[in-house]
Amino acid sequence: MSPWKPIDSDCLTHSPQLDQSLLSRHHSHHCHSFSRRQNRPRDRRLRQTGGERRGESLKIITRQASLRVAEYAFHHAKAHGRERKCRQYTKPTLYRKLIVFFCCREIAEKHPEIKYEEVVIDNCRMMLVKNPALFDVLVMPNLYGDIISDLCAGLIDGLGLTSSCNIGEGGISLAEAVHGSAPDIAGKNLANPTALMLSAVTTLRHLELHGKADRIQNAILNTIAEGKYRTADLDGTSTTDFTKAIIDHL
């Protein structure tokens, strides 16, 4: 199990995007990792006045949670050899004194070997579409992370390929497909099991069972690269045939 110990008991999400050029419309041999806060509610409505004419809301961001997600982002960058760059994304033109900035800067000072930058979220979205290879480890609050992770999933052909892992206190984790359970297509032979399988791979790596994780991941990637069997979202026809092909590659 990963030795990293979080600062508090809130949950954060780590979402590794699939690193295969055959799945990327931009043919980028690159893998992005996101660290974002997962403590909810992210936006809490305080009160509403004047009927439907006015609403007020407050974003709750704490120092403890911000330190925790920053700590994990730098831990992940170092543990996985991603020391090229760690970027923090939000809207500095509006929130210059946001606690997230101070916490990320504080942790960055402890890791001088990792390049740290702060980028406006608007520009981040544009540059991800134009040149995703510019990015490495991305750190952001939950709302921005939710939006950007979906954008990156679109660059590699959809949420059906994207796994995630919620890292809890004491190294406890819960891996899951980013898109959820997709009940609307259950039993129709349409679902892409890749995201869930890669989430299982993430769990195995968290438990340091890297050999088993490599076997499953390679079987998935080889099946997709082969192109004979794919799911509907990857211009294929059958979830069942795709799954059987992965099993055959194990």
Side-chain angles (χ1 to χ4, degrees):
M1 185 175 291
S2 171
W4 181 78
K5 304 297 183 184
I7 290 174
D8 63 16
S9 59
D10 291 331
C11 208
L12 65 88
T13 294
H14 163 236
S15 179
Q17 306 290 354
L18 195 59
D19 184 18
Q20 279 290 302
S21 61
L22 65 100
L23 301 178
S24 171
R25 294 191 179 94
H26 295 271
H27 303 287
S28 170
H29 294 266
H30 197 67
C31 177
H32 305 132
S33 289
F34 298 88
S35 286
R36 63 185 177 97
R37 288 181 57 205
Q38 189 79 342
N39 25 341
R40 297 187 179 184
R42 172 65 175 81
D43 299 320
R44 182 177 298 168
R45 175 161 292 185
L46 294 181
R47 60 185 180 274
Q48 182 170 337
T49 59
E52 297 181 355
R53 298 181 62 184
R54 176 183 171 187
E56 296 181 7
S57 64
L58 177 67
K59 294 182 177 180
I60 309 297
I61 299 180
T62 66
R63 173 177 169 79
Q64 271 196 323
S66 298
L67 279 173
R68 181 167 172 249
V69 72
E71 283 271 17
Y72 184 79
F74 281 89
H75 161 80
H76 177 80
K78 191 169 184 178
H80 295 272
R82 314 186 76 110
E83 299 179 3
R84 184 171 61 94
K85 193 168 293 183
C86 190
R87 283 171 165 158
Q88 198 279 127
Y89 298 85
T90 188
K91 191 73 172 175
T93 52
L94 296 180
Y95 309 117
R96 292 187 183 278
K97 295 185 178 181
L98 196 65
I99 190 68
V100 176
F101 284 117
F102 302 123
C103 292
C104 284
R105 293 167 190 167
E106 182 178 327
I107 302 303
E109 290 178 359
K110 300 178 182 179
H111 300 275
E113 74 281 4
I114 300 175
K115 186 176 181 181
Y116 170 70
E117 293 181 352
E118 294 169 0
V119 181
V120 179
I121 193 68
D122 309 49
N123 186 54
C124 165
R125 290 183 295 176
M126 178 188 71
M127 294 308 298
L128 271 169
V129 173
K130 292 181 65 176
N131 188 2
L134 292 174
F135 298 83
D136 205 340
V137 177
L138 291 72
V139 189
M140 61 194 73
N142 186 53
L143 178 61
Y144 298 143
D146 198 5
I147 295 169
I148 296 300
S149 59
D150 280 11
L151 184 153
C152 288
L155 296 178
I156 59 170
D157 281 331
L159 292 171
L161 298 168
T162 312
S163 62
S164 72
C165 189
N166 297 284
I167 309 296
E169 190 172 14
I172 297 173
S173 71
L174 171 64
E176 60 182 338
V178 165
H179 60 68
S181 59
D184 56 319
I185 57 174
K188 298 180 181 179
N189 207 23
L190 295 174
N192 188 338
T194 302
L196 195 57
M197 291 180 182
L198 290 177
S199 296
V201 168
T202 301
T203 298
L204 290 172
R205 295 199 188 285
H206 185 72
L207 297 173
E208 299 184 357
L209 299 172
H210 300 293
K212 297 180 185 300
D214 288 341
R215 285 186 60 196
I216 298 173
Q217 181 171 317
N218 290 336
I220 294 169
L221 297 181
N222 289 335
T223 300
I224 296 174
E226 201 174 63
K228 186 176 181 180
Y229 301 104
R230 291 187 179 181
T231 51
D233 58 323
L234 299 180
D235 299 324
T237 58
S238 171
T239 299
T240 302
D241 292 342
F242 176 72
T243 305
K244 289 180 178 178
I246 291 175
I247 294 172
D248 290 341
H249 277 98
L250 286 173

